[in-house]
Amino acid sequence: MKRAGRGIACMWYPIGFTVAANPSSAVVKVNEDGTATVLTGTVEVGQGSLTVLGQIAAQELGVSADDVHVVSADTDVTPMDTGAIASRTTFVTGNAVRLAAAEAKATLFEVASEMLGVEPEELEAVDHRIRAKTFPEKQVALAEVAARAQIVRGRPPLGSASFNPPTVPMDPETGQGKPFATYVYATQVAEVEVDDETGEVEVLRICAAHDSGTTINPALVEGQVEGGIAMGIGMALEEEILFDADGRQVNPNLTNYLIPTSLDMPKIEVDLVQSYDPVGPFGAKGVGEPTLVPTMPAIINAIHDAVGVRITDLPATAEKILMAIKEKERAEVRQLGPA
Amino acid sequence: MSRKITDEKKAEGQKLLAAAPVTHPPAVVPDSLPSVPALTPEVNKQTPAVGQRVARPDIRTHVTGTTRYIDDLSFPGMLHCKILRSAHAHARIISIDLSEAGNMPGVVATLTGDEVPVNSFGSTYKDQPVLAADRVRYRGDGVVAIAAETEQQALEALAGVKVEYEPLPAVFDPLEAMGPESPKIHRNNNVYTSKVIARGDVDRGFEESDHIFERRYTTQMIEHVPLEPFAAIALFEPDGQLHLYSTNGRITLGRADLARTLNVPMNRIRLTATIIGGNFGGKNEIRTEPILALLAKKTGRPVKAVYTREEEFIASTTRHPLVMDYKTGVAKDGRLLARAVHLVLDGGAYASWSETTVGKAAILAAGPYRIPNVRVEGHAVYTNKTVTGAMRGFGAPQVAFAYESQMDEIASSLGMDPLEIRMLNGFDEGSASHTGQTLQAVALKETLLMAAKRSGWQEVGR
Amino acid sequence: MRGDGVHEIELTVNGVVRRAQVSPETTLLAALRDSWGLTGSKLGCDVGDCGACTVLVDGLSINSCLLLAVQANGRDVVTIEGLGGFEYLHPLQAAFERLSSYQCGFCAPGMIISAKALLDENPAPTELQIREALSGNLCRCTGYTKVIDAITEVCRDHAGAVGVEQSV
């Protein structure tokens, strides 16, 4: 018989390397037509980092995402980057990009200042224009400023910068210190159905609420949450590398190491909780890894809610669940005493 | 179901092709749906850029199959490299005989560990060989690399390699490996990295508690399973610059590792990636790059190696299995007063990213909860199994499984709602973490309430 | 290239007649990628577990790593390259772009072929039928969610356009 259950789990996860320096650097060039090119040493791994970095540069320069082209992943051409790891790209590389864009923008402001007769500190870049903050009618097209900067004034708008998250070393005896600049938080609620005759679990629905600071691109964050949940389901229920007595992997293939398919996925509802981290670019933090962290305990807690067994050894395969159910039934019978 | 292609059909096909305008795809695919012009999402043009659902520029190439991954690249004269891996979990290498393999059809060059200028690398400790020269410590250790005209020829040549091993006693269980009697894999102690987090006084905290909960939780070894297997190509540019194309996710570090293992200045090495077909932590170290560079140097030709799916499992890194002992002291109103955690990480045959994993696991182990007395001890232990390294979460998923499972056990025992006990104990803005850090931008409770609301948690009257 | 046992094959790929000389163990996938430079179909496992190599052969979606090139002789093959290019996209491709359905993109070509095969046979599938059609294509990045959303959208739009009663 199928029994329904629901479980909740929350988590925290840090952004960046543990104490150690993990800088990123970037170069931003504003071209003569007001479009921009970003150089970054990070490597796109599928999460959409290049898109996000482009959006950060665009935001800083007051242009749109289409106006920014991001070049990456070449040690001869792009400046150093510690790597797309530890969910640090939006936060660390993003800050490097933002700072580099700000430096290029400073050149634009100096040239615009001459054109408008307004001090550079009084200017802002918004919607493809450079204008006076407190008197927006005094404005000039950013493209015009960029052209003038390079062609007339001989000062191409170019910026380069690096960023490293601020941390405090940890005491070797007690671990006290500030290992990370910031953390993200998340909660997932899982609804499952457990067949108490076979031990099989179907995950029906997961409600995921994730904090990633300011959300730079909601579609990409959702993608990370959905993908992370898939990994979490695999880890909770079916994935395991098995070894024989001689240290040989028994199932080094996708026939016998099972990852979730399209048929294994539940309905996923994602809520992006907004918070603002003063250190992150425009308040953003990160999201790459946290997405699978609450999934396993949410499912395990839901299984307990459904059939009253607690699996403490992952993965919670059907065999384990069934054995635990049977053991629980036997224990209940024992408690009732001999007939 | 098969249709023979007649001359008539062939001619028809040629006519269609000739007639079709250049900008349209050949209209020969019978389809229930008509083609549409490619769209440029308007949202990409809007300002401000932050907060927009900007369409990724690479999605166009993904859906048309034109994204270039490393395995899609090839160069004139390119050779293919295959690697022979250890036949034992733990053994000394006595001799390697390449006389037969070296003469097999299509074989152009071979490589062994003693030909690597600096035969060691690793993200924390440089304890892993590029190619094992005197000792193998797990079955994924590469021993011989062969470059041949085709992949098939390289594979067949591996069968001609004769390696003489002296098997050594092996240990596979990390708890066993911690013991003094266990076979030693690197140094005299298989425990190679430890971390302690201590705050307050856990013993006093347990004394003050109304209830104590103790449980062991364990998690399994997991593989990243990126759809794209690891691939790399090495070639020398005409000006002598060594150029590596690789699915490596950390090219700055990768270049440093190459410079070190090859004993070449960094500015003479160019490492480029395109887009990685899934990483999740498994492509954050060098794998075949130094081998390919040396083979490219020997042969004067580009050399490519692509991992098979089996190699992705046995010869790349995996997620650390953890044995986690949690003891938590709780007041009768549900407040957590003390938590002691002991973590043992199966550290595999080489260190890789274990130090980071132990550190993160230890820092996060007590959970996002205000607990005045905490003690966490974490250890990574060598075993003669697949190298455990970076994988999405670095220990966080494992400890979260433990602390959130125990949270529900506590709630159940005290007759409290699982949401309620988390709201009672969770971090707030400005709370101190277990390492004494003042936390800012804390959104934990917002996520709890949001997920609860979305799922209708409170409505089910728990 | 080995001198012995080399076979000449001829088949239609994306409407174009293609020829190659292949050794007997060459898979259709290897012929597509290495002989004709059609690298859109991907090598993920080479044993038919992951679906990254999915193509249409005589209208059926199959794992091209499981078909020998010589077995494909005389057949009609459609790969991802046959669906659309930069200027014109198949509606599925356009929908995937609009919804940012793919992340690393490695599974995309195979999955899109499977989706197309489904819609060619059944223009109004249920969500379960969509999931079943994709179940042979593994994806590690996306959780399949936005892919299914996009396919659902295409079915809805197309049903609306031609007045077909739709079940999703």
Side-chain angles (χ1 to χ4, degrees), chain B residues 5 36 60 63 69 72 224, chain C residues 12 42 93 97 104 140:
Chain B
I5 299 185
V36 296
R60 178 70 58 83
V63 300
Y69 302 89
D72 298 330
H224 311 78
Chain C
T12 307
K42 304 299 179 200
Q93 293 169 314
E97 184 177 83
C104 84
R140 198 53 157 162

Side-chain angles (χ1 to χ4, degrees), chain B residues 333-395:
Chain B
D333 64 357
R335 277 175 305 121
L336 302 178
L337 298 180
R339 179 163 263 168
V341 181
H342 188 258
L343 307 170
V344 175
L345 280 70
D346 185 338
Y350 299 103
S352 180
W353 287 93
S354 298
E355 192 185 5
T356 310
T357 311
V358 174
K360 270 196 170 166
I363 291 167
L364 301 170
Y369 301 111
R370 299 183 325 277
I371 311 174
N373 307 291
V374 169
R375 183 175 172 85
V376 181
E377 243 183 72
H379 309 280
V381 189
Y382 284 124
T383 59
N384 292 112
K385 303 207 302 290
T386 313
V387 182
T388 46
M391 184 170 173
R392 202 174 190 181
F394 275 107

Side-chain angles (χ1 to χ4, degrees), chain B residues 179-457:
Chain B
E181 303 300 310
S182 162
K184 300 296 184 281
I185 301 176
H186 286 266
R187 299 182 289 276
N188 285 337
N189 189 351
N190 285 330
V191 179
Y192 63 89
T193 189
S194 303
K195 265 296 191 286
V196 173
I197 309 282
R199 191 170 166 77
D201 179 346
V202 279
D203 295 320
R204 203 188 57 222
F206 288 133
E207 278 164 34
E208 289 168 5
S209 302
D210 296 310
H211 305 277
I212 308 268
F213 295 84
E214 279 187 81
R215 182 84 59 205
R216 170 171 285 189
Y217 303 90
T218 54
T219 62
Q220 76 281 47
M221 187 180 284
I222 296 265
E223 159 54 28
H224 311 78
V225 189
L227 260 290
E228 177 206 38
F230 195 90
I233 306 172
L235 58 90
F236 281 87
E237 301 285 2
D239 63 357
Q241 187 83 337
L242 168 63
H243 195 163
L244 267 306
Y245 292 87
S246 168
T247 57
N248 190 307
R250 292 191 34 163
I251 53 174
T252 300
L253 172 75
R255 184 181 65 171
D257 280 336
L258 279 160
R260 189 174 158 278
T261 52
L262 300 174
N263 201 17
V264 167
M266 281 190 200
N267 70 336
R268 301 303 296 156
I269 299 172
R270 182 175 183 185
L271 180 54
T272 53
T274 54
I275 174 177
I276 301 179
N279 184 342
F280 313 112
K283 294 173 177 160
N284 286 343
E285 286 160 299
I286 52 169
R287 300 227 176 278
T288 57
E289 294 94 324
I291 297 169
L292 299 175
L294 291 165
L295 286 169
K297 188 165 170 212
K298 265 195 186 187
T299 61
R301 295 165 66 171
V303 186
K304 178 198 258 193
V306 182
Y307 263 30
T308 62
R309 181 53 58 182
E310 190 185 350
E311 280 178 303
E312 275 298 322
F313 278 96
I314 69 170
S316 77
T317 51
T318 57
R319 188 190 285 290
H320 292 75
L322 257 75
V323 178
M324 303 171 278
D325 291 315
Y326 271 69
K327 180 178 175 184
T328 305
V330 182
K332 56 176 174 287
D333 64 357
R335 277 175 305 121
L336 302 178
L337 298 180
R339 179 163 263 168
V341 181
H342 188 258
L343 307 170
V344 175
L345 280 70
D346 185 338
Y350 299 103
S352 180
W353 287 93
S354 298
E355 192 185 5
T356 310
T357 311
V358 174
K360 270 196 170 166
I363 291 167
L364 301 170
Y369 301 111
R370 299 183 325 277
I371 311 174
N373 307 291
V374 169
R375 183 175 172 85
V376 181
E377 243 183 72
H379 309 280
V381 189
Y382 284 124
T383 59
N384 292 112
K385 303 207 302 290
T386 313
V387 182
T388 46
M391 184 170 173
R392 202 174 190 181
F394 275 107
Q398 298 96 312
V399 298
F401 161 61
Y403 64 68
E404 286 300 89
S405 292
Q406 191 166 67
M407 209 57 169
D408 257 31
E409 280 185 78
I410 295 169
S412 170
S413 180
L414 298 180
M416 283 179 81
D417 177 315
L419 172 65
E420 194 194 330
I421 195 171
R422 289 171 170 85
M423 290 295 290
L424 177 66
N425 289 287
F427 284 145
D428 294 304
E429 183 73 22
S431 291
S433 75
H434 313 114
T435 66
Q437 172 178 357
T438 307
L439 299 168
Q440 94 252 1
V442 178
L444 177 73
K445 293 187 180 173
E446 285 89 317
T447 69
L448 279 163
L449 292 172
M450 183 80 92
K453 182 164 169 227
R454 174 70 63 184
S455 63
W457 184 273

Side-chain angles (χ1 to χ4, degrees), chain C residues 111-130:
Chain C
M111 204 179 283
I112 296 173
I113 293 288
S114 292
K116 177 188 150 50
L118 168 71
L119 296 187
D120 281 351
E121 195 190 302
N122 174 5
T126 61
E127 190 186 304
L128 181 59
Q129 284 170 328
I130 295 175

Side-chain angles (χ1 to χ4, degrees), chain C:
Chain C
M1 189 75 117
R2 289 158 66 153
D4 55 288
V6 169
H7 296 253
E8 173 147 341
I9 58 172
E10 182 182 287
L11 48 144
T12 307
V13 183
N14 300 329
V16 177
V17 173
R18 300 273 195 175
R19 286 180 199 85
Q21 303 213 325
V22 297
S23 55
E25 74 274 2
T26 305
T27 61
L28 173 59
L29 177 67
L32 289 167
R33 289 175 59 80
D34 302 332
S35 302
W36 302 313
L38 294 167
T39 56
S41 310
K42 304 299 179 200
L43 177 65
C45 70
D46 214 24
V47 292
D49 283 331
C50 73
C53 64
T54 309
V55 299
L56 296 181
V57 175
D58 291 345
L60 279 180
S61 72
I62 60 130
N63 291 318
S64 59
C65 71
L66 291 179
L67 197 67
L68 295 178
V70 296
Q71 288 175 300
N73 193 40
R75 296 187 186 271
D76 188 45
V77 174
V78 175
T79 70
I80 186 71
E81 287 93 341
L83 254 61
F86 261 45
E87 296 302 314
Y88 280 84
L89 299 176
H90 190 281
L92 281 171
Q93 293 169 314
F96 292 136
E97 184 177 83
R98 212 163 40 238
L99 266 59
S100 288
S101 297
Y102 291 107
Q103 295 181 27
C104 84
F106 201 78
C107 73
M111 204 179 283
I112 296 173
I113 293 288
S114 292
K116 177 188 150 50
L118 168 71
L119 296 187
D120 281 351
E121 195 190 302
N122 174 5
T126 61
E127 190 186 304
L128 181 59
Q129 284 170 328
I130 295 175
R131 287 182 184 274
E132 273 166 355
L134 300 183
S135 61
N137 293 89
L138 295 181
C139 172
R140 198 53 157 162
C141 293
T142 69
Y144 312 94
T145 311
K146 291 188 192 300
V147 173
I148 292 166
D149 288 346
I151 296 172
T152 307
E153 222 178 78
V154 168
C155 294
R156 203 166 39 226
D157 291 345
H158 179 65
V162 302
V164 169
E165 197 182 286
Q166 42 128 42
S167 38
V168 80

